[in-house]
Amino acid sequence: MTAVATRPPRTSPHKRRKPRSRQGRETLLLMLPALVPVLLFSVGPLLYGIGLAFTDARAGRNAVYEFVGPQNFVDLLSDADFWSSFRIGLIWAVSVTGLQFLLSLGLAILLNQNLRFRGVARVLAVVPWAMPPVVIGLMWRLVYHPDAGILNSMLGTDIDWLADFSLALPAVIVMGIWSGMPQTTVVLLAGLQGVPKELYEAVEVDGAGTWRRFWNITLPQLRPVIVAITSLDFVWNINQFSLVYVLTQGGPGGQTRLPMLFAYEQAFRYGFFGYAAALGVATMIVVLAVLGIYLWRQMREAS
């Protein structure tokens, strides 16, 4: 007598799977804890600011404002102070982002080597990341102090770095580079650790030197990481406020007045809320345009 094996009845895949509508509802419920704060504290204020940019809103108790259309943006085109702050902002953002990336890449390559006390060095490299911007600004004010500053003590000079029209912006740029290097270094270090070692071993067999390995292996493998971190750094730097405000408050004579400092002055010193909102919207549009061109060129080169 031969035993006949019976296969268990197959369940229809349509019965095992949840309906797509139910899956969508469950996914939305899981996203709500993260989505609600974003909508309340990011998207909501952004939309309100864009709407405010088309009004003549001003400070004052029971102030009434009216819709003025694009008039605030028209006024921007003839505002010399706005163009000056925007030029300074671009110099600041490009300089800090570029120099920060170069120094962070060198530091990341160094920390990726098999050195003694490598763990301690990595911890020390991210110390500025843990410091609040106000503390960083106050610390660098002491560094640049004309009488008791460590920089003048080392150089044997008595320069008032933050009051000199030609030195204030470079001094602020140095602070921006120092404060932003940790996160850039960490991201690049993570990218370096993701590069397959087999690639280096293959080019070493061909007799490739250090520079050739860096140029042909390291940089191409890091391209997605470089594009991402430099884009984020540029956005963070062009929107910088707290560091420069604590260090110089935009002085001397507006030489370090970034676009966000100029918008802050218009809103909270002079009470022109609508005009300040237009400044923010205009800066956002320009930043998105610059980033779009940059990302398009990078993707085109990669393809």
Side-chain angles (χ1 to χ4, degrees), residues 139-152:
M139 182 186 72
W140 278 90
R141 284 184 66 178
L142 295 176
V143 171
Y144 289 132
H145 196 278
D147 298 324
I150 188 174
L151 184 59
N152 279 334

Side-chain angles (χ1 to χ4, degrees), residues 71-80 82-83 262 275 278-280 282:
Q71 185 59 47
N72 287 326
F73 297 94
V74 174
D75 294 339
L76 282 178
L77 298 177
S78 58
D79 192 339
F82 165 72
W83 289 110
F262 182 58
Y275 190 61
L279 289 169

Side-chain angles (χ1 to χ4, degrees), residues 92 140 144 151 161-162 166-176 247:
W92 152 272
W140 278 90
Y144 289 132
L151 184 59
W161 298 89
L162 301 180
S166 59
L167 296 177
L169 184 57
V172 172
I173 288 173
V174 170
M175 178 197 64
L247 189 63

Side-chain angles (χ1 to χ4, degrees), residues 80-247:
D81 290 335
F82 165 72
W83 289 110
S84 175
S85 69
F86 191 76
R87 176 184 60 83
I88 293 170
L90 282 180
I91 294 174
W92 152 272
V94 172
S95 300
V96 173
T97 302
L99 296 174
Q100 184 175 284
F101 164 72
L102 294 176
L103 294 175
S104 298
L105 179 60
L107 182 59
I109 292 174
L110 180 63
L111 295 177
N112 196 42
Q113 305 301 315
N114 191 16
L115 305 173
R116 291 185 63 184
F117 307 109
R118 183 174 60 177
V120 176
R122 289 180 176 178
V123 172
L124 293 176
V126 299
V127 166
W129 200 357
M131 300 174 65
V134 174
V135 175
I136 293 176
L138 293 174
M139 182 186 72
W140 278 90
R141 284 184 66 178
L142 295 176
V143 171
Y144 289 132
H145 196 278
D147 298 324
I150 188 174
L151 184 59
N152 279 334
S153 298
M154 293 174 57
L155 299 177
T157 59
D158 57 353
I159 302 173
D160 194 347
W161 298 89
L162 301 180
D164 191 295
F165 275 59
S166 59
L167 296 177
L169 184 57
V172 172
I173 288 173
V174 170
M175 178 197 64
I177 294 171
W178 182 86
S179 64
M181 277 184 62
Q183 60 264 31
T184 307
T185 301
V186 168
V187 172
L188 292 174
L189 181 59
L192 287 171
Q193 292 178 344
V195 178
K197 295 182 179 179
E198 294 79 7
L199 297 176
Y200 292 111
E201 295 172 355
V203 295
E204 285 178 1
V205 172
D206 296 335
T210 303
W211 175 251
R212 185 178 167 190
R213 293 198 302 269
F214 172 77
W215 190 258
N216 293 332
I217 302 297
T218 305
L219 277 184
Q221 291 293 315
L222 285 180
R223 179 183 290 273
V225 177
I226 292 172
V227 171
I229 192 60
T230 52
S231 301
L232 290 174
D233 282 342
F234 180 79
V235 173
W236 289 332
N237 289 324
I238 198 68
N239 290 313
Q240 183 58 251
F241 171 80
S242 54
L243 284 175
V244 182
Y245 182 79
V246 173
L247 189 63

